[in-house]
Amino acid sequence: MSKNKTKPTLKIIPLGGLHEIGKNTCIFEFDDEILLLDAGIAFPTEAMHGVNIVLPDMTYLRENRHKIKGAIATHGHEDHIGGIAYHLKQFDIPVIYGPRLALALLAGKLEEAGVSNRTKLKTVMPREVVRVGKSFSIEFIRNTHSIADSFTLAVTTPIGTVIFTGDFKVDHTPVDGEKFDLYKLAEYGEKGVLCLLSDSTNAEVPGFTPSERSVYPNLDRVIGQTPGRLMVTTFASSVHRVNMILELAAKHGRFVSVVGRSMLNVIAHARNLGYIKCRDDLFKPIHEASKLPDEKVLILCTGSQGETLAAMSRISRGDHRQIQIKKGDTVVFSANPIPGNTISVVNVIDELMKLGANVIYGRRQGLHVSGHGCQEDHKLMLALTRPKFFMPVHGEHRMLVQHSKIAQSMGIRASNMVIVDNGDVVELTQDSIRIADRVTSGLDLVDSSRTGMVRDRVLKERQQLAEDGVVTVATAIDWDGKLTSHPEVHIRGVVATMEPVRLKNKIVEDIEKVLTSRWKEFVS
Amino acid sequence: MSKNKTKPTLKIIPLGGLHEIGKNTCIFEFDDEILLLDAGIAFPTEAMHGVNIVLPDMTYLRENRHKIKGAIATHGHEDHIGGIAYHLKQFDIPVIYGPRLALALLAGKLEEAGVSNRTKLKTVMPREVVRVGKSFSIEFIRNTHSIADSFTLAVTTPIGTVIFTGDFKVDHTPVDGEKFDLYKLAEYGEKGVLCLLSDSTNAEVPGFTPSERSVYPNLDRVIGQTPGRLMVTTFASSVHRVNMILELAAKHGRFVSVVGRSMLNVIAHARNLGYIKCRDDLFKPIHEASKLPDEKVLILCTGSQGETLAAMSRISRGDHRQIQIKKGDTVVFSANPIPGNTISVVNVIDELMKLGANVIYGRRQGLHVSGHGCQEDHKLMLALTRPKFFMPVHGEHRMLVQHSKIAQSMGIRASNMVIVDNGDVVELTQDSIRIADRVTSGLDLVDSSRTGMVRDRVLKERQQLAEDGVVTVATAIDWDGKLTSHPEVHIRGVVATMEPVRLKNKIVEDIEKVLTSRWKEFVS
Ligand SMILES: [Zn+2]
Ligand SMILES: [Zn+2]
Ligand SMILES: [Zn+2]
Ligand SMILES: [Zn+2]
């Protein structure tokens, strides 16, 4: 391990968010002071049996908890704030700054987990500047993203300013009218940005990401022209989308029933803070909606990703307590499946169709746009901030590679950028960037009880149990090697070419044979 | 169950291929004679623990084996011929007709499974007509698809002709020069087609599927301009693609090493039959290729879908015996991931990049086109055959629905078509089509040993073991309810909030407590 002792150095240590989508967690460390930037969760892959939530391994922060001066939440998405309630069980965070919506959502999580007393939440407004420790001064720059109230950060340290984009796209016509503060980015660019850390989610996609508003006319057409009952599903956290759906329901004379806990939660907070504006009497509880004429009803629900337990999936299986599909219903998917969810989503669509619903889905409908910038958005970010050094973050390896190529195409030398993995320690000085070290990194898998951790060993055992099943044999043996009773054989999850009863008898026979022929070896 | 006794009726019973991609298996039954059209396999979903291959439940055919007069293989893809070797263990098939390539591949499978004597394979040429039983006369019509030597069938029965498209797209510039026999389709259309059963895979996609040849200039550019060593992966069965890759390797002075069993197998058969034409000395075994200069080598390998055990996946994990990635290698994915494989494929790409390879992948490269027709291809098929009745097949539910809408847009009445599920019995007469009945249908899951069947119960048990793990307690108890020895506790795959040793002690304590307090109840 080599250190750069001669020059003041900012260490940048991403613990999550690289090489996967999700669990964004990044450490800035300067002079024994740590600033934590976002702390998200990811969702398990299918091979992670019995796992509910994926966290980054926080060993490094746990061991350096005394250095933690504070944290920032850039916005309210689960992959940026979802981990905090878990981490606070392991260490305190003196203060967490963030936008109003993110902290409102976070406060609920902390309360539920009983850790509200382990930190202080402080909301910040655009262009507000806060100081954390002696080393960090952070300005909050309004950006545009799929959730309302999202920030890009300018983190000024003793060696210079680092721009941390958070999640963003460049949306010149945002639904809530809160425009991307391009001036602030440009101002930092003009003064001199030492390093840019930028969202790479869509770095493989050419062009600009369309404005969220481009979805409006298509939603308008669908909501306005559909006869009968209408159900719409989207990401609960897509505040702008939800806002448009509510506005269009009102416009076309439909009452709205909101179904799904996360959808209710986000709408409540977003209305509180003014990010969603609509009349109280637009909403009807689902049991009242069932008394209205079908063409007066819009059910807005969770489950756009085919999540097994979400409302739309339950409805498609016919096991939702309050909502049954009937012929003439129209279901709208205002979301694209993220990779890994495709099969679940199309299965839900098929089931809904079989129940008689007309289902509107798919990229060609224009009912969804991404909240992350594409290649041209990235070029604009690079052009405004004009960083000396560059570090693509928030994405899988090939996206980081693509993003680095975009930066190179704009004149940043390959030697002035690093492509990192979770756990890499990047040392940034005024005239160099390099991967200097590694700290412990990996996955913490939280099981369905939300308290236990599924260790690697346990996961491997579960995989093996799933592949092979298990046979248990219990038998009492006398000192002379004779069975004192019939062995109990239990077989679970085992593929056998013979009938279970025959198999059991065969096992008992074999045990007796072994005992007869080999007992002496055991006791000698 | 209602029967149509008054009129001669053709029963059409799909046992697989609906509501999923794969395991296409369709029965035509007339007057106690059965003709089997294709018999494929599917691959397991992630939830099918320890399952290797998915077959349709063949109860109906097993129970009606005496009616089976023969079978047809439309082409050599696994989802059309892969099940035959398994079924022949349950019942004989008097004769199987099919194209030369499909039957060459099938012969190998039957031999391997030791069932060659359970049927007779008879190759047919385009426009050949064969008779099966008294009821069926089948003309083989050359079509275009991603594998060479593929057929659409015209099955003439006492009540009229049914066109069974098999898999197809309309490719006017096929790589092997064997054009779609549009005249034959048109001729049947002019004479009168009673019913069309047509491939629905891409029924959701607008436009025409581009010609396989459209990939050529892009492959030419990549293979011609890449410095260093080149690895290309594609579907082994995509004979035309493989043909172009071999031709371009020769053109640009690269020797070819073929890696992966299925790739070697298909190339051998396709060369034998003249569907791939190239010189013997184009090929070099991989151990000789390693002695050639990098720019003289093209490695053609399996694993384009990220399959765990295929060559490309092994290479990406660094555990292929003969091939290690080195900086400067270029890897080309000439295939798109099918839904469900996306995550595996992008993981392989990421790992290859981390090892230093330049990876060329993604839809924008123009290195892959589908072998299945899109909406305009379907319109052409419907326009040529002008069927009275229509039955979309080979696709998931929403694709069938889309395909039926295309047919309706061309004037076929909704009452003249059926959207079916596996196991439905469609009764077709000269003036009606309807779903009249159902037979046993479902999945047979073949386990990794390729002999055992994974039953539903076993699968559920495996799922439960995977979610929860298993605890076994073995203990010897005296007649008076006292432990005669310390209980043996084994814990596997269990998440515990306490250390395993403490958990075991806790369990032992609890057993002793129960014995002390409750023993009398057990023995009384
Ligand atoms: Zn994010
Ligand atoms: Zn976000
Ligand atoms: Zn097929
Ligand atoms: Zn095919």
Side-chain angles (χ1 to χ4, degrees):
Chain A
M1 174 176 165
S2 66
K3 288 238 175 175
N4 198 326
K5 289 282 181 202
T6 49
K7 286 192 179 164
T9 303
L10 173 68
K11 284 190 203 163
I12 301 175
I13 310 171
L15 292 179
L18 283 324
H19 303 298
E20 81 277 291
I21 297 290
K23 68 183 177 59
N24 299 280
T25 308
C26 188
I27 293 168
F28 279 17
E29 185 172 342
F30 194 92
D31 262 359
D32 281 349
E33 291 188 334
I34 281 178
L35 171 69
L36 177 62
L37 298 131
D38 287 338
I41 55 166
F43 294 100
T45 64
E46 292 223 37
M48 295 178 183
H49 302 295
V51 173
N52 215 27
I53 277 175
V54 180
L55 297 170
D57 182 322
M58 296 299 268
T59 305
Y60 183 78
L61 266 190
R62 213 165 43 236
E63 288 175 354
N64 293 279
R65 66 186 83 181
H66 56 285
K67 296 184 185 172
I68 303 172
K69 299 299 167 195
I72 312 281
T74 57
H75 65 288
H77 275 148
E78 287 287 342
D79 63 325
H80 294 259
I81 63 166
I84 295 173
Y86 295 92
H87 306 324
L88 285 176
K89 290 177 186 164
Q90 303 186 42
F91 48 79
D92 291 355
I93 300 174
V95 58
I96 302 176
Y97 295 100
R100 297 186 305 158
L101 180 56
L103 294 200
L105 294 168
L106 182 57
K109 287 172 193 291
L110 301 190
E111 206 154 303
E112 225 176 282
V115 292
S116 303
N117 60 330
R118 312 291 301 263
T119 188
K120 265 200 293 288
L121 302 185
K122 292 201 177 166
T123 59
V124 290
M125 299 301 285
R127 296 201 178 179
E128 200 171 327
V129 180
V130 302
R131 178 161 279 281
V132 174
K134 290 187 301 288
S135 315
F136 304 106
S137 154
I138 303 109
E139 177 161 11
F140 292 82
I141 302 170
R142 167 64 73 234
N143 73 19
T144 45
H145 184 40
S146 45
I147 194 170
D149 209 357
S150 173
F151 283 132
T152 288
L153 310 176
V155 183
T156 301
T157 72
I159 60 165
T161 297
V162 177
I163 301 288
F164 184 90
T165 67
D167 292 0
F168 78 98
K169 68 181 187 182
V170 181
D171 189 340
H172 296 305
T173 56
V175 171
D176 60 3
E178 295 227 23
K179 297 201 175 165
F180 205 136
D181 191 352
L182 300 177
Y183 165 73
K184 270 290 160 196
L185 290 180
E187 188 188 43
Y188 276 105
E190 180 69 16
K191 286 192 293 194
V193 168
L194 183 62
C195 187
L196 172 69
L197 274 68
S198 187
D199 174 8
S200 309
T201 311
N202 280 339
E204 295 175 296
V205 188
F208 273 110
T209 303
S211 171
E212 175 67 21
R213 207 178 275 271
S214 68
V215 173
Y216 189 90
N218 302 314
L219 277 176
D220 191 16
R221 192 189 64 242
V222 168
I223 297 177
Q225 297 179 3
T226 299
R229 195 164 62 156
L230 192 56
M231 301 183 197
V232 183
T233 182
T234 188
F235 298 98
S237 62
S238 291
V239 174
H240 307 308
R241 187 75 47 81
V242 169
N243 200 2
M244 288 192 286
I245 292 165
L246 295 175
E247 183 189 326
L248 286 166
K251 175 179 168 189
H252 295 294
R254 287 182 188 261
F255 291 95
V256 177
S257 292
V258 181
V259 176
R261 190 167 172 263
S262 59
M263 190 70 86
L264 284 159
N265 185 38
V266 172
I267 290 179
H269 285 298
R271 289 186 73 206
N272 256 345
L273 298 171
Y275 290 108
I276 289 179
K277 292 187 187 73
C278 62
R279 298 198 327 269
D280 282 345
D281 61 5
L282 178 66
F283 298 98
K284 290 268 185 216
I286 185 72
H287 62 274
E288 286 184 31
S290 62
K291 292 170 210 151
L292 294 169
D294 285 344
E295 67 277 12
K296 294 278 172 219
V297 177
L298 187 153
I299 297 171
L300 177 59
C301 66
T302 53
S304 70
Q305 295 301 303
E307 307 94 322
T308 315
L309 300 177
M312 191 51 84
S313 310
R314 286 186 194 280
I315 294 170
S316 79
R317 291 193 302 267
D319 70 359
H320 194 279
R321 278 177 308 121
Q322 297 160 305
I323 306 170
Q324 285 80 39
I325 292 286
K326 53 188 180 191
K327 220 176 151 60
D329 284 346
T330 296
V331 179
V332 178
F333 279 74
S334 181
N336 293 339
I338 60 174
N341 293 347
T342 311
I343 301 276
S344 310
V345 172
V346 297
N347 285 346
V348 168
I349 293 171
D350 277 356
E351 293 309 315
L352 290 167
M353 282 182 149
K354 286 188 214 169
L355 292 172
N358 174 32
V359 186
I360 302 179
Y361 64 94
R363 290 171 192 273
R364 275 173 286 270
Q365 300 288 343
L367 294 173
H368 182 70
V369 292
S370 174
H372 297 271
C374 293
Q375 291 177 352
E376 296 303 318
D377 302 70
H378 291 313
K379 288 179 192 165
L380 182 54
M381 177 59 77
L382 285 154
L384 288 168
T385 54
R386 292 140 65 190
K388 184 167 178 182
F389 298 108
F390 177 60
M391 184 174 155
V393 293
H394 201 291
E396 299 172 28
H397 187 76
R398 64 203 180 286
M399 302 168 188
L400 309 182
V401 170
Q402 268 301 333
H403 204 171
S404 77
K405 284 184 185 162
I406 293 168
Q408 286 172 52
S409 80
M410 294 180 65
I412 301 179
R413 283 202 310 276
S415 56
N416 278 17
M417 54 188 78
V418 285
I419 290 176
V420 296
D421 206 341
N422 298 319
D424 280 341
V425 177
V426 175
E427 289 191 355
L428 180 69
T429 70
Q430 283 178 328
D431 42 35
S432 71
I433 190 168
R434 68 190 186 110
I435 299 170
D437 198 5
R438 279 192 62 74
V439 300
T440 306
S441 76
L443 307 179
D444 271 358
L445 308 177
V446 184
D447 88 336
S448 338
S449 71
R450 294 194 178 231
T451 52
M453 286 293 173
V454 186
R455 302 289 165 210
D456 247 25
R457 185 185 47 78
V458 169
L459 213 60
K460 270 189 204 130
E461 290 175 356
R462 287 181 173 186
Q463 187 60 42
Q464 204 185 9
L465 288 167
E467 299 263 313
D468 302 333
V470 65
V471 176
T472 60
V473 181
T475 184
I477 304 169
D478 231 333
W479 288 113
D480 61 357
K482 294 269 157 38
L483 293 178
T484 59
S485 68
H486 212 62
E488 283 288 325
V489 178
H490 286 273
I491 299 174
R492 285 188 73 77
V494 173
V495 171
T497 38
M498 56 179 94
E499 290 300 295
V501 176
R502 273 197 58 204
L503 181 65
K504 281 189 192 181
N505 291 338
K506 182 94 180 53
I507 290 172
V508 173
E509 253 174 54
D510 283 356
I511 292 170
E512 286 174 342
K513 248 189 244 165
V514 169
L515 285 176
T516 312
S517 65
R518 311 281 299 276
W519 180 252
K520 291 212 174 91
E521 297 170 32
F522 289 118
V523 289
S524 66
Chain B
M1 175 179 163
S2 65
K3 287 242 173 172
N4 197 325
K5 288 282 179 201
T6 49
K7 287 192 177 163
T9 302
L10 174 68
K11 285 190 201 161
I12 301 176
I13 310 171
L15 292 179
L18 282 326
H19 304 297
E20 81 276 291
I21 298 292
K23 66 184 178 59
N24 299 281
T25 308
C26 189
I27 293 168
F28 278 18
E29 185 172 342
F30 194 94
D31 262 359
D32 280 349
E33 292 190 334
I34 281 178
L35 171 68
L36 177 63
L37 297 131
D38 287 340
I41 55 167
F43 294 100
T45 64
E46 291 222 37
M48 296 179 183
H49 301 295
V51 173
N52 215 29
I53 277 174
V54 181
L55 297 170
D57 182 323
M58 297 299 269
T59 306
Y60 183 78
L61 266 190
R62 213 166 41 238
E63 288 174 353
N64 293 279
R65 67 186 81 183
H66 55 285
K67 297 185 186 172
I68 304 172
K69 298 300 168 196
I72 312 281
T74 57
H75 65 288
H77 275 148
E78 286 287 340
D79 63 325
H80 295 259
I81 63 167
I84 296 172
Y86 295 93
H87 306 325
L88 286 175
K89 290 176 185 165
Q90 303 185 45
F91 48 78
D92 291 356
I93 299 175
V95 58
I96 303 175
Y97 294 101
R100 298 186 304 160
L101 181 56
L103 294 199
L105 294 167
L106 181 57
K109 285 172 194 294
L110 301 190
E111 206 154 304
E112 227 175 280
V115 291
S116 303
N117 59 329
R118 313 290 301 262
T119 189
K120 263 199 294 287
L121 302 184
K122 292 200 177 168
T123 60
V124 290
M125 299 302 284
R127 297 200 177 180
E128 200 170 327
V129 179
V130 303
R131 178 161 278 281
V132 173
K134 290 188 299 289
S135 315
F136 305 106
S137 154
I138 302 108
E139 176 160 12
F140 293 82
I141 301 171
R142 166 64 73 233
N143 74 17
T144 43
H145 185 39
S146 45
I147 195 170
D149 209 356
S150 174
F151 282 130
T152 287
L153 310 175
V155 183
T156 300
T157 72
I159 61 164
T161 296
V162 177
I163 301 287
F164 184 90
T165 66
D167 292 0
F168 77 97
K169 69 181 188 182
V170 182
D171 189 341
H172 296 304
T173 56
V175 172
D176 61 2
E178 296 226 24
K179 297 198 175 166
F180 205 135
D181 191 352
L182 300 177
Y183 165 73
K184 269 289 159 195
L185 291 181
E187 189 189 40
Y188 276 104
E190 181 69 17
K191 287 191 293 192
V193 168
L194 182 63
C195 186
L196 172 68
L197 275 68
S198 187
D199 173 9
S200 309
T201 311
N202 280 338
E204 296 176 294
V205 189
F208 272 110
T209 303
S211 170
E212 174 68 21
R213 205 177 278 270
S214 69
V215 173
Y216 188 90
N218 301 314
L219 277 176
D220 190 16
R221 192 189 62 243
V222 168
I223 298 177
Q225 297 178 3
T226 299
R229 195 164 62 157
L230 191 57
M231 301 183 196
V232 183
T233 182
T234 189
F235 299 98
S237 61
S238 291
V239 173
H240 307 306
R241 186 76 45 83
V242 169
N243 199 0
M244 288 193 284
I245 292 165
L246 295 175
E247 183 189 326
L248 285 165
K251 175 179 168 188
H252 295 294
R254 288 182 187 261
F255 291 94
V256 176
S257 293
V258 181
V259 177
R261 191 167 170 261
S262 58
M263 190 69 86
L264 284 158
N265 185 38
V266 173
I267 291 179
H269 286 297
R271 290 186 74 205
N272 257 345
L273 298 171
Y275 290 108
I276 289 179
K277 293 187 186 74
C278 63
R279 298 197 326 269
D280 282 345
D281 61 5
L282 178 66
F283 298 97
K284 291 270 184 214
I286 186 72
H287 62 272
E288 284 184 32
S290 62
K291 292 171 209 150
L292 293 169
D294 285 343
E295 69 276 10
K296 294 279 171 217
V297 177
L298 186 154
I299 297 171
L300 177 59
C301 66
T302 54
S304 69
Q305 295 301 303
E307 307 94 322
T308 315
L309 299 175
M312 190 51 84
S313 310
R314 286 185 194 279
I315 293 170
S316 80
R317 291 194 301 267
D319 69 358
H320 194 280
R321 277 178 307 121
Q322 295 160 307
I323 306 170
Q324 285 80 39
I325 291 287
K326 53 188 180 189
K327 219 176 154 59
D329 284 346
T330 296
V331 179
V332 178
F333 279 74
S334 181
N336 293 340
I338 61 174
N341 293 347
T342 311
I343 301 275
S344 310
V345 171
V346 297
N347 285 346
V348 168
I349 292 171
D350 277 355
E351 292 309 313
L352 291 167
M353 281 182 152
K354 286 189 214 168
L355 292 171
N358 175 32
V359 186
I360 301 178
Y361 65 95
R363 291 171 191 274
R364 276 175 285 271
Q365 300 288 342
L367 295 172
H368 182 71
V369 293
S370 174
H372 297 271
C374 292
Q375 291 177 353
E376 296 303 319
D377 302 70
H378 291 312
K379 289 180 192 165
L380 183 54
M381 176 60 76
L382 285 154
L384 288 168
T385 55
R386 294 141 64 190
K388 183 167 179 183
F389 299 107
F390 177 58
M391 183 174 154
V393 293
H394 200 292
E396 298 171 28
H397 187 75
R398 63 202 181 287
M399 303 169 188
L400 308 182
V401 170
Q402 269 301 334
H403 204 173
S404 77
K405 285 184 185 162
I406 294 169
Q408 287 173 52
S409 80
M410 294 180 65
I412 302 180
R413 283 204 309 276
S415 57
N416 279 16
M417 52 189 80
V418 284
I419 290 176
V420 295
D421 205 341
N422 298 319
D424 279 341
V425 178
V426 175
E427 289 191 355
L428 179 69
T429 70
Q430 281 178 330
D431 43 35
S432 71
I433 190 167
R434 65 190 188 113
I435 299 170
D437 198 4
R438 280 193 59 75
V439 301
T440 306
S441 77
L443 306 180
D444 272 357
L445 308 178
V446 185
D447 88 336
S448 338
S449 71
R450 293 190 180 235
T451 51
M453 285 293 174
V454 185
R455 301 289 165 209
D456 248 25
R457 184 185 48 78
V458 169
L459 213 58
K460 270 188 204 131
E461 290 175 356
R462 286 182 174 185
Q463 187 61 41
Q464 204 185 9
L465 288 167
E467 299 262 315
D468 302 333
V470 66
V471 177
T472 60
V473 181
T475 182
I477 304 169
D478 232 333
W479 289 112
D480 60 357
K482 294 271 158 39
L483 294 179
T484 59
S485 68
H486 212 63
E488 284 287 324
V489 177
H490 286 273
I491 299 174
R492 285 188 75 76
V494 174
V495 171
T497 39
M498 57 180 92
E499 288 300 296
V501 176
R502 272 196 58 205
L503 181 65
K504 281 188 191 181
N505 290 338
K506 183 92 179 52
I507 291 172
V508 172
E509 252 173 55
D510 283 356
I511 293 170
E512 285 174 343
K513 250 188 244 166
V514 169
L515 285 177
T516 310
S517 66
R518 311 279 301 273
W519 180 252
K520 290 207 176 95
E521 299 171 30
F522 288 119
V523 290
S524 66

